């Protein structure tokens, strides 16, 4: 009996060692993203023919809170692009779909829900990147990552499209991210970006899964650990001008006879404003 116990422990240690060793070198991998042959409608279904030609990646490693073990649920990610967008699709399987946490909420307020997302290091400099997330209802979250991914700025809001559907096997999410909402160096040749898809699966604890193990000794530079995604030839980043007009009104009333008197207008004020954004270069936005 004791001998069987030691054999069992040795098998577990060997399996963990294989998982850990399988891919701390994920950043040395290069995937190729194909170009779509037809139009894609973002409706959360992934039923267009182009999705059958997409790059498919399985998120089969739990990186948080457990350290690089087999993922508790199955997740498939699909990536493809056309002249104007990168498309990201997810099939998130769930043994108990009724336990999926998904609510209509404000932007960037869905990170405690079930959600899937993708990191894009478009300059492939291991320093800054973009992150796009969606919950199963298509509610968006986005942010800019800096200092290797150790700092996150959720005040950044990009213009992109997402949709999601809860199904009998889990849920599906579909994203269309315009190149004009990103910054990168344009090229007629194939570009190389750092990337990874992720899934957050909150149940008794919040599991985060990815396609490859993460080195816990290098969490200050997550972007350094990403594999490469090759493609996007002839893609053009945005230098668009964005103008957001605003109007704010304020009125102050006071009771003539406190506390029972009627309210009487004391003052009012209207402020007009405009917020502008202009992409001066591929690297600089004013």
């Amino acid at each position: 009996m004791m001998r069987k116990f030691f054999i069992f422990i040795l098998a577990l240690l060997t399996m963990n060692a294989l998982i850990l060793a399988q891919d701390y070198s994920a950043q040395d991998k290069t995937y190729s993203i194909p170009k779509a042959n037809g139009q894609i409608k973002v409706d959360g279904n992934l039923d267009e023919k182009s999705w059958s030609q997409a790059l498919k990646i399985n998120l089969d490693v739990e990186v948080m809170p457990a350290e690089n073990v087999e993922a508790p649920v199955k997740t498939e990610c699909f990536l493809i692009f056309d002249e104007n967008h990168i498309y990201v699709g997810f099939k998130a399987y769930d043994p108990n779909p009724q336990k999926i946490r998904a609510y209509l909420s404000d932007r960037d307020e869905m990170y405690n829900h079930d959600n899937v997302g993708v990191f894009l290091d478009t300059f492939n400099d291991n320093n800054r990147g973009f992150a796009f997330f969606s919950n199963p209802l298509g509610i968006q979250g986005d942010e800019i990552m800096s200092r290797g991914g150790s700092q996150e700025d959720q005040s950044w809001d990009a213009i992109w499209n997402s949709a999601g559907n809860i199904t009998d096997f889990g849920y599906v999410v579909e994203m269309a991210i315009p190149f004009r909402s990103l910054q990168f160096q344009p090229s007629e040749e194939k570009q190389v970006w750092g990337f990874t898809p992720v899934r957050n699966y909150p149940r008794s604890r919040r599991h985060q899964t990815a396609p490859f193990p993460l080195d816990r000794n290098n969490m200050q530079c997550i972007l350094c650990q990403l594999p490469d995604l090759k493609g996007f030839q002839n893609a053009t980043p945005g230098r668009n001008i964005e103008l957001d007009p605003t109007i704010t009104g304020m009125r102050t009333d006071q009771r003539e006879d406190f506390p029972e008197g009627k309210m009487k207008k004391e003052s009012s004020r209207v402020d007009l404003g405009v917020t502008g954004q202009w992409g001066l270069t591929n690297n600089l936005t004013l």
Side-chain angles (χ1 to χ4, degrees), residues 22-231:
Q22 73 180 352
D23 236 329
Y24 275 167
S25 60
Q27 64 269 29
D28 297 329
K29 285 190 174 181
T30 300
Y31 297 86
S32 293
I33 181 171
K35 192 170 184 178
N37 291 326
Q39 291 186 341
I40 293 178
K41 180 181 179 181
V42 181
D43 54 9
N45 289 318
L46 305 185
D47 54 0
E48 291 85 0
K49 183 178 179 181
S50 291
W51 284 114
S52 65
Q53 304 162 349
L55 170 66
K56 178 183 174 182
I57 299 175
N58 294 318
L59 283 64
D60 51 9
V61 180
E62 179 178 326
V63 295
M64 294 285 181
E67 184 175 1
N68 302 326
V69 301
E70 183 179 356
V73 286
K74 178 182 177 182
T75 313
E76 298 171 338
C77 176
F78 305 86
L79 297 107
I80 200 165
F81 79 101
D82 62 16
E83 291 81 2
N84 301 309
H85 299 82
I86 174 174
Y87 298 93
V88 188
F90 289 90
K91 289 184 178 179
Y93 296 84
D94 196 309
N96 298 295
Q98 68 275 13
K99 294 185 178 180
I100 291 174
R101 301 179 187 178
Y103 316 99
L104 296 175
S105 65
D106 291 337
R107 188 190 194 102
D108 295 327
E109 295 295 332
M110 33 55 68
Y111 289 109
N112 289 326
H113 308 176
D114 279 77
N115 63 78
V116 288
V118 62
F119 298 161
L120 298 173
D121 180 1
T122 57
F123 287 96
N124 206 24
D125 59 4
N126 300 329
N127 180 45
R128 52 184 168 165
F130 303 93
F132 299 87
F133 286 87
S134 173
N135 79 355
L137 301 180
I139 303 301
Q140 299 178 354
D142 46 21
E143 59 189 42
I144 289 181
M145 308 170 71
S146 59
R147 295 192 177 183
S150 62
Q151 291 190 354
E152 301 171 344
D153 179 8
Q154 293 181 6
S155 66
W156 176 74
D157 292 329
I159 298 175
W160 54 291
N161 196 10
S162 60
N165 285 310
I166 297 177
T167 69
D168 57 354
F169 66 79
Y171 65 91
V172 177
V173 163
E174 192 171 15
M175 304 177 179
I177 304 167
F179 292 126
R180 66 175 180 268
S181 293
L182 301 172
Q183 290 178 306
F184 55 90
Q185 293 292 347
S187 173
E188 295 181 359
E189 305 297 325
K190 290 186 177 181
Q191 301 182 42
V192 179
W193 296 358
F195 89 107
T196 189
V198 295
R199 177 183 179 180
N200 289 299
Y201 175 65
R203 292 301 180 268
S204 59
R205 58 178 180 173
R206 183 174 179 264
H207 307 265
Q208 186 173 89
T209 64
F212 57 87
L214 282 179
D215 184 356
R216 291 283 185 90
N217 295 319
N218 193 22
M219 294 305 289
Q220 290 300 308
C221 192
I222 296 175
L223 297 181
C224 299
Q225 304 184 49
L226 304 187
D228 290 334
L229 185 63
K230 189 174 183 179

